[in-house]
Amino acid sequence: FLDIGLPMRGDAALKNIRKKAHGIIFIFDLTQPSSLKTLEEKRESMISQEVNLDDVPCVLVGTKADLIKSRKITLSEIQHVC
């Protein structure tokens, strides 16, 4: 397990992902649209820095799913990231 957090902690974190990751769990807050946007930006940054996400299983997890009335992210927005 490698927790690089957001914001990314530089090239060293990406290098570890390329060499050591057996999978990646992307986590965002369903009540905060900015968290999905940040996740998408970091994912794109990983791809641009030659992290081949096709070779590493990735899971996208939305937190606070129980706060139905507070959700601000739609399923179609999530599917766009995948």
PDB file of all heavy atoms in Angstrom, residues 26-65:
ATOM      1  N   PHE A  26      -8.268   5.272  -6.060  1.00  0.00           N
ATOM      2  CA  PHE A  26      -8.527   6.709  -6.125  1.00  0.00           C
ATOM      3  C   PHE A  26      -9.759   6.988  -5.272  1.00  0.00           C
ATOM      4  O   PHE A  26     -10.805   6.397  -5.496  1.00  0.00           O
ATOM      5  CB  PHE A  26      -8.799   7.152  -7.565  1.00  0.00           C
ATOM      6  CG  PHE A  26      -7.617   7.065  -8.484  1.00  0.00           C
ATOM      7  CD1 PHE A  26      -7.507   6.043  -9.407  1.00  0.00           C
ATOM      8  CD2 PHE A  26      -6.626   8.035  -8.440  1.00  0.00           C
ATOM      9  CE1 PHE A  26      -6.433   5.980 -10.274  1.00  0.00           C
ATOM     10  CE2 PHE A  26      -5.543   7.977  -9.304  1.00  0.00           C
ATOM     11  CZ  PHE A  26      -5.448   6.955 -10.222  1.00  0.00           C
ATOM     12  N   ILE A  27      -9.649   7.901  -4.311  1.00  0.00           N
ATOM     13  CA  ILE A  27     -10.749   8.185  -3.395  1.00  0.00           C
ATOM     14  C   ILE A  27     -11.141   9.660  -3.518  1.00  0.00           C
ATOM     15  O   ILE A  27     -10.278  10.537  -3.549  1.00  0.00           O
ATOM     16  CB  ILE A  27     -10.348   7.861  -1.946  1.00  0.00           C
ATOM     17  CG1 ILE A  27      -9.962   6.381  -1.844  1.00  0.00           C
ATOM     18  CG2 ILE A  27     -11.474   8.213  -0.976  1.00  0.00           C
ATOM     19  CD1 ILE A  27      -9.390   5.979  -0.507  1.00  0.00           C
ATOM     20  N   PHE A  28     -12.449   9.902  -3.589  1.00  0.00           N
ATOM     21  CA  PHE A  28     -12.950  11.265  -3.667  1.00  0.00           C
ATOM     22  C   PHE A  28     -14.211  11.378  -2.829  1.00  0.00           C
ATOM     23  O   PHE A  28     -14.806  10.386  -2.424  1.00  0.00           O
ATOM     24  CB  PHE A  28     -13.213  11.673  -5.127  1.00  0.00           C
ATOM     25  CG  PHE A  28     -14.343  10.913  -5.764  1.00  0.00           C
ATOM     26  CD1 PHE A  28     -15.606  11.472  -5.846  1.00  0.00           C
ATOM     27  CD2 PHE A  28     -14.152   9.631  -6.251  1.00  0.00           C
ATOM     28  CE1 PHE A  28     -16.650  10.764  -6.411  1.00  0.00           C
ATOM     29  CE2 PHE A  28     -15.185   8.923  -6.817  1.00  0.00           C
ATOM     30  CZ  PHE A  28     -16.448   9.485  -6.899  1.00  0.00           C
ATOM     31  N   ASP A  29     -14.634  12.609  -2.574  1.00  0.00           N
ATOM     32  CA  ASP A  29     -15.780  12.916  -1.722  1.00  0.00           C
ATOM     33  C   ASP A  29     -16.982  13.242  -2.616  1.00  0.00           C
ATOM     34  O   ASP A  29     -16.945  14.205  -3.382  1.00  0.00           O
ATOM     35  CB  ASP A  29     -15.407  14.114  -0.841  1.00  0.00           C
ATOM     36  CG  ASP A  29     -16.475  14.529   0.135  1.00  0.00           C
ATOM     37  OD1 ASP A  29     -17.664  14.177  -0.061  1.00  0.00           O
ATOM     38  OD2 ASP A  29     -16.135  15.233   1.090  1.00  0.00           O
ATOM     39  N   LEU A  30     -18.040  12.447  -2.527  1.00  0.00           N
ATOM     40  CA  LEU A  30     -19.231  12.653  -3.355  1.00  0.00           C
ATOM     41  C   LEU A  30     -19.942  13.974  -3.073  1.00  0.00           C
ATOM     42  O   LEU A  30     -20.764  14.420  -3.871  1.00  0.00           O
ATOM     43  CB  LEU A  30     -20.218  11.502  -3.156  1.00  0.00           C
ATOM     44  CG  LEU A  30     -19.811  10.172  -3.787  1.00  0.00           C
ATOM     45  CD1 LEU A  30     -20.643   9.035  -3.209  1.00  0.00           C
ATOM     46  CD2 LEU A  30     -19.948  10.238  -5.285  1.00  0.00           C
ATOM     47  N   THR A  31     -19.626  14.612  -1.953  1.00  0.00           N
ATOM     48  CA  THR A  31     -20.266  15.884  -1.621  1.00  0.00           C
ATOM     49  C   THR A  31     -19.421  17.090  -2.031  1.00  0.00           C
ATOM     50  O   THR A  31     -19.848  18.224  -1.852  1.00  0.00           O
ATOM     51  CB  THR A  31     -20.566  15.974  -0.102  1.00  0.00           C
ATOM     52  OG1 THR A  31     -19.337  16.043   0.625  1.00  0.00           O
ATOM     53  CG2 THR A  31     -21.395  14.795   0.367  1.00  0.00           C
ATOM     54  N   GLN A  32     -18.235  16.838  -2.576  1.00  0.00           N
ATOM     55  CA  GLN A  32     -17.317  17.914  -2.956  1.00  0.00           C
ATOM     56  C   GLN A  32     -16.861  17.741  -4.402  1.00  0.00           C
ATOM     57  O   GLN A  32     -15.918  16.998  -4.673  1.00  0.00           O
ATOM     58  CB  GLN A  32     -16.088  17.922  -2.041  1.00  0.00           C
ATOM     59  CG  GLN A  32     -16.385  18.217  -0.595  1.00  0.00           C
ATOM     60  CD  GLN A  32     -16.825  19.654  -0.404  1.00  0.00           C
ATOM     61  OE1 GLN A  32     -16.375  20.564  -1.082  1.00  0.00           O
ATOM     62  NE2 GLN A  32     -17.738  19.862   0.532  1.00  0.00           N
ATOM     63  N   PRO A  33     -17.501  18.402  -5.352  1.00  0.00           N
ATOM     64  CA  PRO A  33     -17.111  18.269  -6.757  1.00  0.00           C
ATOM     65  C   PRO A  33     -15.628  18.561  -7.005  1.00  0.00           C
ATOM     66  O   PRO A  33     -15.007  17.960  -7.868  1.00  0.00           O
ATOM     67  CB  PRO A  33     -18.001  19.275  -7.478  1.00  0.00           C
ATOM     68  CG  PRO A  33     -19.199  19.411  -6.606  1.00  0.00           C
ATOM     69  CD  PRO A  33     -18.673  19.276  -5.201  1.00  0.00           C
ATOM     70  N   SER A  34     -15.059  19.448  -6.206  1.00  0.00           N
ATOM     71  CA  SER A  34     -13.641  19.772  -6.387  1.00  0.00           C
ATOM     72  C   SER A  34     -12.745  18.562  -6.124  1.00  0.00           C
ATOM     73  O   SER A  34     -11.662  18.448  -6.702  1.00  0.00           O
ATOM     74  CB  SER A  34     -13.231  20.934  -5.484  1.00  0.00           C
ATOM     75  OG  SER A  34     -13.398  20.589  -4.125  1.00  0.00           O
ATOM     76  N   SER A  35     -13.189  17.639  -5.267  1.00  0.00           N
ATOM     77  CA  SER A  35     -12.362  16.458  -4.980  1.00  0.00           C
ATOM     78  C   SER A  35     -12.278  15.543  -6.197  1.00  0.00           C
ATOM     79  O   SER A  35     -11.217  14.964  -6.464  1.00  0.00           O
ATOM     80  CB  SER A  35     -12.891  15.698  -3.763  1.00  0.00           C
ATOM     81  OG  SER A  35     -14.124  15.061  -4.039  1.00  0.00           O
ATOM     82  N   LEU A  36     -13.353  15.438  -6.960  1.00  0.00           N
ATOM     83  CA  LEU A  36     -13.322  14.624  -8.179  1.00  0.00           C
ATOM     84  C   LEU A  36     -12.476  15.309  -9.246  1.00  0.00           C
ATOM     85  O   LEU A  36     -11.702  14.657  -9.948  1.00  0.00           O
ATOM     86  CB  LEU A  36     -14.730  14.358  -8.704  1.00  0.00           C
ATOM     87  CG  LEU A  36     -14.810  13.432  -9.913  1.00  0.00           C
ATOM     88  CD1 LEU A  36     -14.279  12.038  -9.583  1.00  0.00           C
ATOM     89  CD2 LEU A  36     -16.238  13.346 -10.430  1.00  0.00           C
ATOM     90  N   LYS A  37     -12.586  16.622  -9.345  1.00  0.00           N
ATOM     91  CA  LYS A  37     -11.784  17.369 -10.309  1.00  0.00           C
ATOM     92  C   LYS A  37     -10.300  17.230  -9.983  1.00  0.00           C
ATOM     93  O   LYS A  37      -9.475  16.997 -10.868  1.00  0.00           O
ATOM     94  CB  LYS A  37     -12.188  18.837 -10.324  1.00  0.00           C
ATOM     95  CG  LYS A  37     -11.415  19.659 -11.329  1.00  0.00           C
ATOM     96  CD  LYS A  37     -12.036  21.016 -11.503  1.00  0.00           C
ATOM     97  CE  LYS A  37     -11.253  21.913 -12.426  1.00  0.00           C
ATOM     98  NZ  LYS A  37     -10.928  21.355 -13.703  1.00  0.00           N
ATOM     99  N   THR A  38      -9.945  17.339  -8.711  1.00  0.00           N
ATOM    100  CA  THR A  38      -8.552  17.182  -8.295  1.00  0.00           C
ATOM    101  C   THR A  38      -8.062  15.774  -8.597  1.00  0.00           C
ATOM    102  O   THR A  38      -6.947  15.584  -9.098  1.00  0.00           O
ATOM    103  CB  THR A  38      -8.396  17.486  -6.790  1.00  0.00           C
ATOM    104  OG1 THR A  38      -8.806  18.830  -6.558  1.00  0.00           O
ATOM    105  CG2 THR A  38      -6.968  17.309  -6.333  1.00  0.00           C
ATOM    106  N   LEU A  39      -8.889  14.780  -8.304  1.00  0.00           N
ATOM    107  CA  LEU A  39      -8.533  13.400  -8.599  1.00  0.00           C
ATOM    108  C   LEU A  39      -8.265  13.226 -10.093  1.00  0.00           C
ATOM    109  O   LEU A  39      -7.279  12.612 -10.490  1.00  0.00           O
ATOM    110  CB  LEU A  39      -9.665  12.471  -8.148  1.00  0.00           C
ATOM    111  CG  LEU A  39      -9.451  11.001  -8.362  1.00  0.00           C
ATOM    112  CD1 LEU A  39     -10.114  10.219  -7.249  1.00  0.00           C
ATOM    113  CD2 LEU A  39      -9.996  10.537  -9.687  1.00  0.00           C
ATOM    114  N   GLU A  40      -9.138  13.781 -10.917  1.00  0.00           N
ATOM    115  CA  GLU A  40      -8.981  13.673 -12.366  1.00  0.00           C
ATOM    116  C   GLU A  40      -7.684  14.347 -12.823  1.00  0.00           C
ATOM    117  O   GLU A  40      -6.953  13.811 -13.658  1.00  0.00           O
ATOM    118  CB  GLU A  40     -10.177  14.296 -13.066  1.00  0.00           C
ATOM    119  CG  GLU A  40     -10.207  14.061 -14.549  1.00  0.00           C
ATOM    120  CD  GLU A  40     -11.515  14.517 -15.183  1.00  0.00           C
ATOM    121  OE1 GLU A  40     -12.308  15.221 -14.521  1.00  0.00           O
ATOM    122  OE2 GLU A  40     -11.724  14.164 -16.339  1.00  0.00           O
ATOM    123  N   GLU A  41      -7.369  15.500 -12.256  1.00  0.00           N
ATOM    124  CA  GLU A  41      -6.130  16.204 -12.602  1.00  0.00           C
ATOM    125  C   GLU A  41      -4.906  15.384 -12.202  1.00  0.00           C
ATOM    126  O   GLU A  41      -3.934  15.307 -12.955  1.00  0.00           O
ATOM    127  CB  GLU A  41      -6.096  17.572 -11.922  1.00  0.00           C
ATOM    128  CG  GLU A  41      -7.085  18.552 -12.490  1.00  0.00           C
ATOM    129  CD  GLU A  41      -7.242  19.807 -11.645  1.00  0.00           C
ATOM    130  OE1 GLU A  41      -6.612  19.912 -10.566  1.00  0.00           O
ATOM    131  OE2 GLU A  41      -8.019  20.695 -12.056  1.00  0.00           O
ATOM    132  N   LYS A  42      -4.939  14.779 -11.028  1.00  0.00           N
ATOM    133  CA  LYS A  42      -3.807  13.964 -10.573  1.00  0.00           C
ATOM    134  C   LYS A  42      -3.659  12.713 -11.427  1.00  0.00           C
ATOM    135  O   LYS A  42      -2.557  12.293 -11.752  1.00  0.00           O
ATOM    136  CB  LYS A  42      -3.968  13.588  -9.095  1.00  0.00           C
ATOM    137  CG  LYS A  42      -3.970  14.772  -8.175  1.00  0.00           C
ATOM    138  CD  LYS A  42      -2.745  15.650  -8.379  1.00  0.00           C
ATOM    139  CE  LYS A  42      -2.834  16.895  -7.539  1.00  0.00           C
ATOM    140  NZ  LYS A  42      -1.716  17.819  -7.784  1.00  0.00           N
ATOM    141  N   ARG A  43      -4.782  12.124 -11.806  1.00  0.00           N
ATOM    142  CA  ARG A  43      -4.751  10.949 -12.689  1.00  0.00           C
ATOM    143  C   ARG A  43      -4.112  11.312 -14.030  1.00  0.00           C
ATOM    144  O   ARG A  43      -3.258  10.604 -14.538  1.00  0.00           O
ATOM    145  CB  ARG A  43      -6.167  10.415 -12.884  1.00  0.00           C
ATOM    146  CG  ARG A  43      -6.257   9.148 -13.678  1.00  0.00           C
ATOM    147  CD  ARG A  43      -7.726   8.697 -13.783  1.00  0.00           C
ATOM    148  NE  ARG A  43      -7.849   7.553 -14.628  1.00  0.00           N
ATOM    149  CZ  ARG A  43      -7.866   7.581 -15.959  1.00  0.00           C
ATOM    150  NH1 ARG A  43      -7.778   8.724 -16.600  1.00  0.00           N
ATOM    151  NH2 ARG A  43      -7.972   6.478 -16.653  1.00  0.00           N
ATOM    152  N   GLU A  44      -4.510  12.451 -14.582  1.00  0.00           N
ATOM    153  CA  GLU A  44      -3.930  12.918 -15.851  1.00  0.00           C
ATOM    154  C   GLU A  44      -2.443  13.210 -15.688  1.00  0.00           C
ATOM    155  O   GLU A  44      -1.644  12.931 -16.582  1.00  0.00           O
ATOM    156  CB  GLU A  44      -4.666  14.160 -16.356  1.00  0.00           C
ATOM    157  CG  GLU A  44      -6.095  13.902 -16.774  1.00  0.00           C
ATOM    158  CD  GLU A  44      -6.212  12.934 -17.938  1.00  0.00           C
ATOM    159  OE1 GLU A  44      -5.368  12.986 -18.851  1.00  0.00           O
ATOM    160  OE2 GLU A  44      -7.148  12.113 -17.916  1.00  0.00           O
ATOM    161  N   SER A  45      -2.067  13.769 -14.558  1.00  0.00           N
ATOM    162  CA  SER A  45      -0.659  14.041 -14.277  1.00  0.00           C
ATOM    163  C   SER A  45       0.147  12.743 -14.238  1.00  0.00           C
ATOM    164  O   SER A  45       1.264  12.672 -14.748  1.00  0.00           O
ATOM    165  CB  SER A  45      -0.526  14.785 -12.944  1.00  0.00           C
ATOM    166  OG  SER A  45       0.818  14.949 -12.591  1.00  0.00           O
ATOM    167  N   MET A  46      -0.428  11.717 -13.631  1.00  0.00           N
ATOM    168  CA  MET A  46       0.250  10.417 -13.581  1.00  0.00           C
ATOM    169  C   MET A  46       0.468   9.878 -14.983  1.00  0.00           C
ATOM    170  O   MET A  46       1.555   9.395 -15.306  1.00  0.00           O
ATOM    171  CB  MET A  46      -0.578   9.426 -12.753  1.00  0.00           C
ATOM    172  CG  MET A  46      -0.636   9.772 -11.294  1.00  0.00           C
ATOM    173  SD  MET A  46      -1.844   8.766 -10.398  1.00  0.00           S
ATOM    174  CE  MET A  46      -1.003   7.189 -10.415  1.00  0.00           C
ATOM    175  N   ILE A  47      -0.558   9.984 -15.822  1.00  0.00           N
ATOM    176  CA  ILE A  47      -0.463   9.487 -17.193  1.00  0.00           C
ATOM    177  C   ILE A  47       0.594  10.270 -17.965  1.00  0.00           C
ATOM    178  O   ILE A  47       1.405   9.696 -18.683  1.00  0.00           O
ATOM    179  CB  ILE A  47      -1.835   9.546 -17.893  1.00  0.00           C
ATOM    180  CG1 ILE A  47      -2.776   8.523 -17.251  1.00  0.00           C
ATOM    181  CG2 ILE A  47      -1.704   9.297 -19.391  1.00  0.00           C
ATOM    182  CD1 ILE A  47      -4.231   8.672 -17.642  1.00  0.00           C
ATOM    183  N   SER A  48       0.613  11.592 -17.783  1.00  0.00           N
ATOM    184  CA  SER A  48       1.582  12.421 -18.504  1.00  0.00           C
ATOM    185  C   SER A  48       3.011  12.156 -18.042  1.00  0.00           C
ATOM    186  O   SER A  48       3.951  12.441 -18.770  1.00  0.00           O
ATOM    187  CB  SER A  48       1.240  13.903 -18.359  1.00  0.00           C
ATOM    188  OG  SER A  48       1.511  14.358 -17.058  1.00  0.00           O
ATOM    189  N   GLN A  49       3.174  11.616 -16.840  1.00  0.00           N
ATOM    190  CA  GLN A  49       4.508  11.302 -16.332  1.00  0.00           C
ATOM    191  C   GLN A  49       4.815   9.816 -16.477  1.00  0.00           C
ATOM    192  O   GLN A  49       5.582   9.251 -15.712  1.00  0.00           O
ATOM    193  CB  GLN A  49       4.634  11.772 -14.890  1.00  0.00           C
ATOM    194  CG  GLN A  49       4.559  13.287 -14.803  1.00  0.00           C
ATOM    195  CD  GLN A  49       4.948  13.803 -13.449  1.00  0.00           C
ATOM    196  OE1 GLN A  49       5.826  13.254 -12.797  1.00  0.00           O
ATOM    197  NE2 GLN A  49       4.308  14.861 -13.023  1.00  0.00           N
ATOM    198  N   GLU A  50       4.169   9.202 -17.442  1.00  0.00           N
ATOM    199  CA  GLU A  50       4.459   7.833 -17.869  1.00  0.00           C
ATOM    200  C   GLU A  50       4.097   6.763 -16.854  1.00  0.00           C
ATOM    201  O   GLU A  50       4.730   5.712 -16.789  1.00  0.00           O
ATOM    202  CB  GLU A  50       5.924   7.695 -18.292  1.00  0.00           C
ATOM    203  CG  GLU A  50       6.289   8.594 -19.451  1.00  0.00           C
ATOM    204  CD  GLU A  50       7.742   8.503 -19.844  1.00  0.00           C
ATOM    205  OE1 GLU A  50       8.488   7.712 -19.240  1.00  0.00           O
ATOM    206  OE2 GLU A  50       8.126   9.237 -20.762  1.00  0.00           O
ATOM    207  N   VAL A  51       3.082   7.013 -16.037  1.00  0.00           N
ATOM    208  CA  VAL A  51       2.532   5.951 -15.208  1.00  0.00           C
ATOM    209  C   VAL A  51       1.453   5.298 -16.067  1.00  0.00           C
ATOM    210  O   VAL A  51       0.444   5.914 -16.377  1.00  0.00           O
ATOM    211  CB  VAL A  51       1.935   6.492 -13.893  1.00  0.00           C
ATOM    212  CG1 VAL A  51       1.263   5.376 -13.119  1.00  0.00           C
ATOM    213  CG2 VAL A  51       3.008   7.165 -13.060  1.00  0.00           C
ATOM    214  N   ASN A  52       1.697   4.069 -16.499  1.00  0.00           N
ATOM    215  CA  ASN A  52       0.760   3.373 -17.379  1.00  0.00           C
ATOM    216  C   ASN A  52      -0.353   2.756 -16.541  1.00  0.00           C
ATOM    217  O   ASN A  52      -0.200   1.684 -15.974  1.00  0.00           O
ATOM    218  CB  ASN A  52       1.482   2.315 -18.203  1.00  0.00           C
ATOM    219  CG  ASN A  52       0.592   1.716 -19.258  1.00  0.00           C
ATOM    220  OD1 ASN A  52      -0.622   1.945 -19.279  1.00  0.00           O
ATOM    221  ND2 ASN A  52       1.170   0.941 -20.144  1.00  0.00           N
ATOM    222  N   LEU A  53      -1.482   3.446 -16.482  1.00  0.00           N
ATOM    223  CA  LEU A  53      -2.590   2.973 -15.659  1.00  0.00           C
ATOM    224  C   LEU A  53      -3.290   1.766 -16.274  1.00  0.00           C
ATOM    225  O   LEU A  53      -4.097   1.126 -15.602  1.00  0.00           O
ATOM    226  CB  LEU A  53      -3.577   4.105 -15.405  1.00  0.00           C
ATOM    227  CG  LEU A  53      -3.018   5.281 -14.596  1.00  0.00           C
ATOM    228  CD1 LEU A  53      -4.081   6.357 -14.409  1.00  0.00           C
ATOM    229  CD2 LEU A  53      -2.489   4.826 -13.254  1.00  0.00           C
ATOM    230  N   ASP A  54      -2.964   1.440 -17.517  1.00  0.00           N
ATOM    231  CA  ASP A  54      -3.527   0.231 -18.127  1.00  0.00           C
ATOM    232  C   ASP A  54      -2.892  -1.022 -17.537  1.00  0.00           C
ATOM    233  O   ASP A  54      -3.477  -2.102 -17.582  1.00  0.00           O
ATOM    234  CB  ASP A  54      -3.323   0.247 -19.644  1.00  0.00           C
ATOM    235  CG  ASP A  54      -4.156   1.322 -20.322  1.00  0.00           C
ATOM    236  OD1 ASP A  54      -5.209   1.692 -19.763  1.00  0.00           O
ATOM    237  OD2 ASP A  54      -3.742   1.789 -21.392  1.00  0.00           O
ATOM    238  N   ASP A  55      -1.684  -0.888 -16.974  1.00  0.00           N
ATOM    239  CA  ASP A  55      -0.974  -2.029 -16.408  1.00  0.00           C
ATOM    240  C   ASP A  55      -1.228  -2.219 -14.918  1.00  0.00           C
ATOM    241  O   ASP A  55      -0.777  -3.190 -14.337  1.00  0.00           O
ATOM    242  CB  ASP A  55       0.541  -1.864 -16.625  1.00  0.00           C
ATOM    243  CG  ASP A  55       0.925  -1.944 -18.094  1.00  0.00           C
ATOM    244  OD1 ASP A  55       0.127  -2.472 -18.904  1.00  0.00           O
ATOM    245  OD2 ASP A  55       2.019  -1.466 -18.438  1.00  0.00           O
ATOM    246  N   VAL A  56      -1.929  -1.267 -14.307  1.00  0.00           N
ATOM    247  CA  VAL A  56      -2.166  -1.319 -12.870  1.00  0.00           C
ATOM    248  C   VAL A  56      -3.677  -1.258 -12.623  1.00  0.00           C
ATOM    249  O   VAL A  56      -4.337  -0.336 -13.082  1.00  0.00           O
ATOM    250  CB  VAL A  56      -1.495  -0.112 -12.159  1.00  0.00           C
ATOM    251  CG1 VAL A  56      -1.741  -0.149 -10.664  1.00  0.00           C
ATOM    252  CG2 VAL A  56      -0.008  -0.064 -12.456  1.00  0.00           C
ATOM    253  N   PRO A  57      -4.233  -2.242 -11.918  1.00  0.00           N
ATOM    254  CA  PRO A  57      -5.663  -2.172 -11.612  1.00  0.00           C
ATOM    255  C   PRO A  57      -5.973  -0.919 -10.797  1.00  0.00           C
ATOM    256  O   PRO A  57      -5.259  -0.590  -9.853  1.00  0.00           O
ATOM    257  CB  PRO A  57      -5.921  -3.427 -10.776  1.00  0.00           C
ATOM    258  CG  PRO A  57      -4.765  -4.330 -11.013  1.00  0.00           C
ATOM    259  CD  PRO A  57      -3.609  -3.447 -11.365  1.00  0.00           C
ATOM    260  N   CYS A  58      -7.016  -0.212 -11.188  1.00  0.00           N
ATOM    261  CA  CYS A  58      -7.426   1.015 -10.498  1.00  0.00           C
ATOM    262  C   CYS A  58      -8.875   0.896 -10.052  1.00  0.00           C
ATOM    263  O   CYS A  58      -9.711   0.380 -10.782  1.00  0.00           O
ATOM    264  CB  CYS A  58      -7.291   2.219 -11.429  1.00  0.00           C
ATOM    265  SG  CYS A  58      -5.611   2.564 -11.957  1.00  0.00           S
ATOM    266  N   VAL A  59      -9.139   1.414  -8.854  1.00  0.00           N
ATOM    267  CA  VAL A  59     -10.486   1.430  -8.301  1.00  0.00           C
ATOM    268  C   VAL A  59     -10.805   2.874  -7.944  1.00  0.00           C
ATOM    269  O   VAL A  59      -9.977   3.580  -7.358  1.00  0.00           O
ATOM    270  CB  VAL A  59     -10.579   0.542  -7.038  1.00  0.00           C
ATOM    271  CG1 VAL A  59     -11.950   0.636  -6.405  1.00  0.00           C
ATOM    272  CG2 VAL A  59     -10.234  -0.901  -7.368  1.00  0.00           C
ATOM    273  N   LEU A  60     -11.990   3.308  -8.291  1.00  0.00           N
ATOM    274  CA  LEU A  60     -12.463   4.647  -7.986  1.00  0.00           C
ATOM    275  C   LEU A  60     -13.506   4.532  -6.880  1.00  0.00           C
ATOM    276  O   LEU A  60     -14.512   3.837  -7.039  1.00  0.00           O
ATOM    277  CB  LEU A  60     -13.067   5.262  -9.247  1.00  0.00           C
ATOM    278  CG  LEU A  60     -13.442   6.721  -9.250  1.00  0.00           C
ATOM    279  CD1 LEU A  60     -12.221   7.592  -8.998  1.00  0.00           C
ATOM    280  CD2 LEU A  60     -14.051   7.093 -10.588  1.00  0.00           C
ATOM    281  N   VAL A  61     -13.283   5.192  -5.727  1.00  0.00           N
ATOM    282  CA  VAL A  61     -14.163   5.076  -4.568  1.00  0.00           C
ATOM    283  C   VAL A  61     -14.680   6.458  -4.175  1.00  0.00           C
ATOM    284  O   VAL A  61     -13.893   7.377  -3.942  1.00  0.00           O
ATOM    285  CB  VAL A  61     -13.412   4.453  -3.365  1.00  0.00           C
ATOM    286  CG1 VAL A  61     -14.304   4.418  -2.134  1.00  0.00           C
ATOM    287  CG2 VAL A  61     -12.894   3.072  -3.707  1.00  0.00           C
ATOM    288  N   GLY A  62     -15.996   6.580  -4.126  1.00  0.00           N
ATOM    289  CA  GLY A  62     -16.619   7.813  -3.658  1.00  0.00           C
ATOM    290  C   GLY A  62     -17.043   7.657  -2.213  1.00  0.00           C
ATOM    291  O   GLY A  62     -17.794   6.746  -1.886  1.00  0.00           O
ATOM    292  N   THR A  63     -16.565   8.536  -1.355  1.00  0.00           N
ATOM    293  CA  THR A  63     -16.932   8.488   0.062  1.00  0.00           C
ATOM    294  C   THR A  63     -18.200   9.302   0.317  1.00  0.00           C
ATOM    295  O   THR A  63     -18.626  10.077  -0.524  1.00  0.00           O
ATOM    296  CB  THR A  63     -15.792   9.033   0.948  1.00  0.00           C
ATOM    297  OG1 THR A  63     -15.578  10.405   0.640  1.00  0.00           O
ATOM    298  CG2 THR A  63     -14.521   8.232   0.747  1.00  0.00           C
ATOM    299  N   LYS A  64     -18.763   9.121   1.470  1.00  0.00           N
ATOM    300  CA  LYS A  64     -19.974   9.816   1.934  1.00  0.00           C
ATOM    301  C   LYS A  64     -21.199   9.486   1.085  1.00  0.00           C
ATOM    302  O   LYS A  64     -22.089  10.311   0.910  1.00  0.00           O
ATOM    303  CB  LYS A  64     -19.732  11.320   2.015  1.00  0.00           C
ATOM    304  CG  LYS A  64     -18.578  11.672   2.952  1.00  0.00           C
ATOM    305  CD  LYS A  64     -18.379  13.152   3.080  1.00  0.00           C
ATOM    306  CE  LYS A  64     -17.173  13.424   3.964  1.00  0.00           C
ATOM    307  NZ  LYS A  64     -16.824  14.835   3.984  1.00  0.00           N
ATOM    308  N   ALA A  65     -21.251   8.258   0.580  1.00  0.00           N
ATOM    309  CA  ALA A  65     -22.392   7.822  -0.231  1.00  0.00           C
ATOM    310  C   ALA A  65     -23.682   7.796   0.581  1.00  0.00           C
ATOM    311  O   ALA A  65     -24.774   7.862   0.011  1.00  0.00           O
ATOM    312  CB  ALA A  65     -22.110   6.440  -0.819  1.00  0.00           C
TER     313      ALA A  65
END
